Every structure is written in structure tokens, then in C-alpha cells.
């Protein structure tokens, strides 16, 4: 009202600030006396009462706001804790499933937080375990098939040896026939020995337990040494091996293993060549690779066998176990090479490329 406005005006004129004037409205007696001196007597109690109510309302509102804020914070913490608990339970269940070899799990609701990162790492681990499980399963299957093939390959010569030994017990057989039987037994034993030896070499290559002595070697020397290794077979069939080598070519490889690889290919060519037919070996230099071709005239390889001729136990000869070409392929590939074959109209060509 006008009286209050007048008193406030007088207080401000006498040097009191607005803050001090508002403090006069408190319940302090000293301030009451100041206001009474300015003629504010009955109104002061009303003002103090109103001011007290305003302060109480403000304080109550402040307390309510604080309480509501605390409640909201607690709800957020509770919700987050529940979410964390659910995520931890979910991750625990995932780990249990993985431990039970269940690798068909979904991870479709990933978000960017610590638990999601953990879930992602678990997923990666699951993928690795799944791949290992598949590989292990395939290895077991491959091992089972290999053992079956080995058993079959060994069973045949062993059966022949047993039959020939039974024949030796027959006293009616002439000495010349007995000598022939003994020679056949020796041949079969040698075949079994070669099979076991080559299988051991293949297994060492598969498990990377061989230390290769790689250095620069002459391809001409490798070819010539391979020719020496098959010279007996060539003499028996009156086969001549011609070489076309324009210049010295060198590659980085393990010399002994490459000689064995080329020898096996050359041996296959000799076994399938017609008698009195020449075999041609040519060494060719290309910018990207050095190439050896081995051509023979004789029995062609069936089209159904071409794609799998380098597989183990795939034999194109009755006297072969089908290990030599598989071993050759493995050795050549270990020295950054590639081997292939083409066979048409009685002519078969093996091609070996060594990439530089």
C-alpha cells in the first residue's frame, strides 16, 4: 500500500539498500524497532508473517525438488543396475553355451558400452572356437579316410605276400619258381616300404615339421639328378629322355626335396610311356616364372582322373599307391611353385612353374 511504499522510499533515501530493507522484515527485534521508528507498526507483523510464509514455501519447494531429484537419480541407477545385471546374466549364459560347444549364437543387439565390448570379444572367441571345431572335425574325417586308404593300400600287397609264402611251403614247386616267388615277395615288401616312407614324408610336410634348406640351386642339376633316379625304369622300357635346356636357370629351393618331386613326376611319365618312346624335358624361362615341362607318349590319363591325379591314393597304375604325385605337389608348392597336367590323344604333359 501507499504507506509501505512511502516508508520503503524513506529507508532507501536514508541509505538503506533493498537487501537491508528486506532483512528488516525478518523476526529480528532490532529490525522491527527500525521499521517502527518509520511508522510501520501494525503492518510489520503482517509483512513478517507473509515473508515467513514465502520463505517456508520456498524452502518446502526446494526440499521437494531435492527429493524428486534424488528419486530420479536413484531410479536411473536402479534401471542401469538392472540392465547391467541382465547383460551380465546374458553374457554368463553365452559363455555356458560356448562351453557346451554351442556356437550358433546371436549377437544382434550390440551397443557401445563396456559390456557390449566384452560381448563382442566373446563373439570373436566363439567364431575362432567354431572354426577350430570345424577344422578339427574335418581333420578327423580326413584322418579316418586316410587310415582307410592306407589300410586298403597295405592290405593288397600283404595278401599277395601271404599267398606267395603259402606257395613256398609246397614242396612240389621247383627251385626256379621259388626264386621267382621270393623276388615277388621282395618287390611287394619294397612297395610297402616306399608307401610308409612317402606317407611319413607327407605327414611331415602337412605338420610343417621339416626344416627346408632353401638356397639358390640350378634347375639343370635338379633335372639331371632326377633323370638318373629313373634310369633303371627307362632301361627296362628302352626309353630315352631328351632335354631342351637353352641356358642355366636358378631358383631358390630345397634341392633334395625338389629332386624328389621332379623324380616322382618323371617316374610317373616313364611308367605310362610306351616302350621305345622318348620323353622330352624342356626348361623354359619366363619373366614371372621358370617352367619345366615333361612330355611322354603313352597311356593317356582318363578325364575323370585329371582333376584329382595329385590327390593322395589316386593311382593311375596298378603298381602305384598314388602317393608320389601328391608328394610332388606338396613339395613344389612349398617352394612357391605350381604343378599341373594335360593329357590328350596319347600325349601327357606335366608342367611345373616356379614363380620368382
Amino acid at each position: 500500500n501507499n504507506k509501505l511504499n512511502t516508508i520503503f522510499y524513506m529507508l532507501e533515501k536514508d541509505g538503506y539498500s533493498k537487501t537491508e530493507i528486506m532483512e528488516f522484515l525478518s523476526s529480528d527485534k532490532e529490525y522491527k524497532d527500525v521499521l517502527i521508528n518509520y511508522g510501520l507498526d501494525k503492518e510489520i507483523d503482517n509483512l513478517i508473517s507473509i515473508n515467513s510464509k514465502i520463505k517456508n514455501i520456498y524452502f518446502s519447494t526446494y526440499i521437494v525438488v531435492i527429493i524428486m531429484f534424488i528419486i530420479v537419480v536413484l531410479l536411473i541407477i536402479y534401471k542401469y543396475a538392472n540392465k547391467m545385471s541382465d547383460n551380465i546374466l546374458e553374457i554368463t549364459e553365452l559363455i555356458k553355451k560356448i562351453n557346451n560347444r554351442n556356437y550358433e549364437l546371436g549377437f544382434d543387439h550390440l551397443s557401445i558400452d563396456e559390456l557390449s565390448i566384452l560381448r563382442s570379444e566373446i563373439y570373436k572367441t566363439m567364431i575362432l572356437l567354431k572354426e577350430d571345431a570345424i577344422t578339427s572335425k574335418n581333420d578327423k574325417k580326413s584322418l579316418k579316410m586316410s587310415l582307410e586308404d592306407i589300410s586298403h593300400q597295405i592290405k593288397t600287397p600283404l595278401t599277395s605276400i601271404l599267398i606267395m609264402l603259402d606257395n613256398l611251403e609246397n614242396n612240389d614247386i621247383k627251385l626256379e619258381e621259388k626264386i621267382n616267388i621270393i623276388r615277388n615277395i621282395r618287390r611287394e615288401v619294397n612297395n610297402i616300404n616306399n608307401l610308409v616312407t612317402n606317407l611319413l614324408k607327407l605327414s611331415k610336410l602337412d605338420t610343417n615339421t621339416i626344416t627346408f634348406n632353401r638356397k639358390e640351386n640350378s634347375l639343370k642339376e635338379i633335372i639331371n639328378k632326377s633323370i638318373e633316379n629313373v634310369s633303371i625304369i627307362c632301361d627296362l622300357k628302352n626309353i630315352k629322355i631328351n632335354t631342351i635346356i637353352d641356358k642355366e636357370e636358378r631358383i631358390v629351393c630345397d634341392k633334395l626335396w625338389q629332386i624328389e618331386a621332379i623324380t616322382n613326376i618323371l617316374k610317373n611319365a616313364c611308367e605310362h610311356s610306351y616302350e621305345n618312346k622318348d620323353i622330352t624335358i624342356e626348361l623354359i624361362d619366363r619373366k614371372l616364372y621358370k617352367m619345366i615341362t615333361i612330355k611322354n607318349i603313352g597311356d593317356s590319363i582318363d578325364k575323370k582322373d585329371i582333376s584329382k591325379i595329385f590327390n593322395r591314393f589316386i593311382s593311375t597304375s596298378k603298381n602305384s599307391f598314388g602317393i608320389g604325385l601328391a608328394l610332388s605337389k606338396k613339395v613344389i608348392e612349398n617352394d612357391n611353385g605350381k604343378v599341373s597336367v594335360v593329357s590328350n590323344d596319347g600325349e601327357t604333359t606335366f608342367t611345373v612353374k616356379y614363380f620368382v
Side-chain angles (χ1 to χ4, degrees):
N1 55 34
N2 292 332
K3 186 177 182 179
L4 285 174
N5 291 334
T6 302
I7 293 173
F8 288 159
Y9 173 76
M10 293 172 64
L11 287 170
E12 288 180 352
K13 188 176 180 181
D14 289 341
Y16 292 102
S17 66
K18 290 182 178 180
T19 302
E20 290 175 323
I21 294 170
M22 294 303 298
E23 289 177 352
F24 293 160
L25 299 178
S26 66
S27 60
D28 190 274
K29 186 177 182 304
E30 179 183 350
Y31 290 147
K32 286 182 182 181
D33 293 341
V34 172
L35 293 174
I36 291 171
N37 290 334
Y38 280 87
L40 188 63
D41 44 13
K42 294 180 180 180
E43 287 84 356
I44 188 170
D45 292 331
N46 293 331
L47 289 172
I48 291 172
S49 176
I50 293 170
N51 184 58
S52 178
K53 289 180 180 180
I54 293 173
K55 288 176 66 176
N56 289 335
I57 292 172
Y58 175 79
F59 181 75
S60 299
T61 304
Y62 178 78
I63 295 298
V64 170
V65 170
I66 293 296
I67 293 173
M68 289 180 65
F69 177 78
I70 293 173
I71 292 173
V72 170
V73 171
L74 290 176
L75 286 174
I76 293 173
I77 293 173
Y78 177 76
K79 184 176 180 181
Y80 181 76
N82 280 343
K83 182 180 178 183
M84 292 280 286
S85 178
D86 292 340
N87 285 334
I88 291 172
L89 289 174
E90 180 185 358
I91 291 173
T92 303
E93 289 300 318
L94 291 176
I95 294 174
K96 286 181 180 179
K97 290 179 180 179
I98 291 173
N99 290 336
N100 290 328
R101 302 181 185 279
N102 178 11
Y103 304 122
E104 302 299 329
L105 306 176
F107 290 80
D108 301 327
H109 52 287
L110 298 180
S111 59
I112 303 175
D113 56 37
E114 291 80 359
L115 287 178
S116 295
I117 294 172
L118 176 60
R119 190 185 292 110
S120 177
E121 292 302 318
I122 293 174
Y123 175 72
K124 293 177 184 177
T125 303
M126 184 200 71
I127 294 298
L128 292 175
L129 291 173
K130 183 177 181 180
E131 291 176 352
D132 289 342
I134 293 173
T135 301
S136 177
K137 184 178 180 180
N138 291 336
D139 288 344
K140 288 180 181 179
K141 184 178 179 181
S142 177
L143 178 61
K144 179 177 179 294
M145 294 175 62
S146 296
L147 289 174
E148 290 174 353
D149 289 333
I150 293 169
S151 299
H152 174 73
Q153 296 289 348
I154 293 179
K155 184 177 180 181
T156 301
L158 286 178
T159 302
S160 298
I161 290 172
L162 290 173
I163 292 172
M164 287 185 285
L165 288 174
D166 289 339
N167 291 334
L168 281 177
E169 293 178 351
N170 189 347
N171 295 326
D172 296 334
I173 297 179
K174 297 179 181 179
L175 178 61
E176 184 178 347
E177 293 179 0
K178 288 184 177 182
I179 293 174
N180 188 48
I181 290 174
I182 293 172
R183 286 174 179 170
N184 290 333
I185 292 174
R186 180 187 295 275
R187 184 189 70 248
E188 295 296 342
V189 171
N190 285 333
N191 286 338
I192 295 174
N193 182 60
N194 290 333
L195 171 62
V196 173
T197 300
N198 286 329
L199 284 172
L200 287 174
K201 290 177 181 178
L202 269 176
S203 64
K204 289 180 179 180
L205 287 169
D206 289 339
T207 55
N208 296 318
T209 56
I210 294 177
T211 301
F212 289 97
N213 182 24
R214 289 188 174 93
K215 59 182 181 180
E216 199 173 76
N217 290 289
S218 167
L219 277 175
K220 183 177 180 180
E221 291 181 10
I222 291 173
I223 292 171
N224 289 336
K225 183 60 180 177
S226 301
I227 293 173
E228 290 179 16
N229 291 341
V230 297
S231 59
I232 295 177
I233 301 176
C234 292
D235 291 341
L236 292 174
K237 300 183 72 172
N238 194 29
I239 294 173
K240 182 181 179 183
I241 298 178
N242 300 315
T243 59
I244 303 175
I245 303 175
D246 294 334
K247 61 178 181 178
E248 181 70 38
E249 299 293 346
R250 305 180 73 82
I251 62 168
V252 176
C253 68
D254 185 298
K255 184 178 180 180
L256 295 179
W257 279 101
Q258 285 303 322
I259 288 173
E260 178 153 7
I262 300 301
T263 297
N264 287 336
I265 295 174
L266 197 52
K267 180 174 177 288
N268 182 274
C270 292
E271 289 175 347
H272 292 84
S273 289
Y274 295 143
E275 292 187 4
N276 306 313
K277 292 292 183 179
D278 293 350
I279 293 175
T280 302
I281 301 177
E282 185 174 4
L283 177 57
I284 303 170
D285 180 25
R286 294 283 187 263
K287 289 184 178 181
L288 298 178
Y289 55 82
K290 315 293 183 183
M291 183 169 70
I292 298 174
T293 60
I294 300 174
K295 297 180 181 179
N296 71 281
I297 305 298
D299 298 328
S300 296
I301 303 172
D302 291 341
K303 291 182 179 180
K304 63 181 178 65
D305 294 328
I306 281 288
S307 61
K308 53 186 178 180
I309 191 171
F310 293 104
N311 295 347
R312 301 176 193 189
F313 306 112
I314 301 299
S315 176
T316 56
S317 172
K318 294 181 179 180
N319 298 321
S320 173
F321 291 107
I323 295 294
L325 292 180
L327 180 61
S328 295
K329 182 177 184 291
K330 193 76 175 179
V331 170
I332 292 169
E333 288 178 348
N334 271 325
D335 277 329
N336 197 31
K338 182 179 180 182
V339 59
S340 58
V341 62
V342 176
S343 185
N344 293 304
D345 301 326
E347 182 178 279
T348 301
T349 302
F350 283 88
T351 301
V352 180
K353 295 178 181 179
Y354 297 99
F355 295 92
V356 296

